[in-house]
Amino acid sequence: YNTDWEKVLGIQKWVKANVKYKLGGDASLKRALTQGYAQCSGYAQLMLTMCQLIDIPCYIPSTFSQSVLYWLNSNPSIISRS
């Protein structure tokens, strides 16, 4: 992977292949890694942690809306530091 964006896509691909969505029980990062199951917050925590480990800034928003998507699309430098 040459760019941060490619690295993020690689992480997302790994998470998608190795962690399945499952309701109930612990929704944590630990469950995602040890049992291969997560809920939304487990996925988010896993992506956050993996990005931080390779020095890619990553944040989990407390809410998500169309305005966040517009802001991200209007500021591509946030996603790619190439």
Side-chain angles (χ1 to χ4, degrees), residues 6 14 16 22 40 52 61 70 72 74:
E6 290 171 336
W14 184 90
K16 185 177 178 182
K22 184 176 181 181
C40 298
Q52 289 176 338
Y70 175 79
L72 287 172
S74 299

Side-chain angles (χ1 to χ4, degrees), residues 28-62:
S28 69
L29 168 65
K30 181 179 177 181
R31 180 180 180 203
L33 289 172
T34 61
Q35 298 177 19
Y37 293 102
Q39 294 177 25
C40 298
S41 60
Y43 279 104
Q45 292 170 7
L46 183 55
M47 286 293 299
L48 173 77
T49 301
M50 293 178 82
C51 286
Q52 289 176 338
L53 286 172
I54 57 173
D55 297 322
I56 294 176
C58 184
Y59 309 93
I60 299 174
S62 58

Side-chain angles (χ1 to χ4, degrees), residues 10 12 14 23 49 54 57 61 65 69 74 81:
Q12 188 272 337
W14 184 90
L23 287 174
T49 301
I54 57 173
S65 68
L69 287 175
S74 299
R81 294 187 301 171

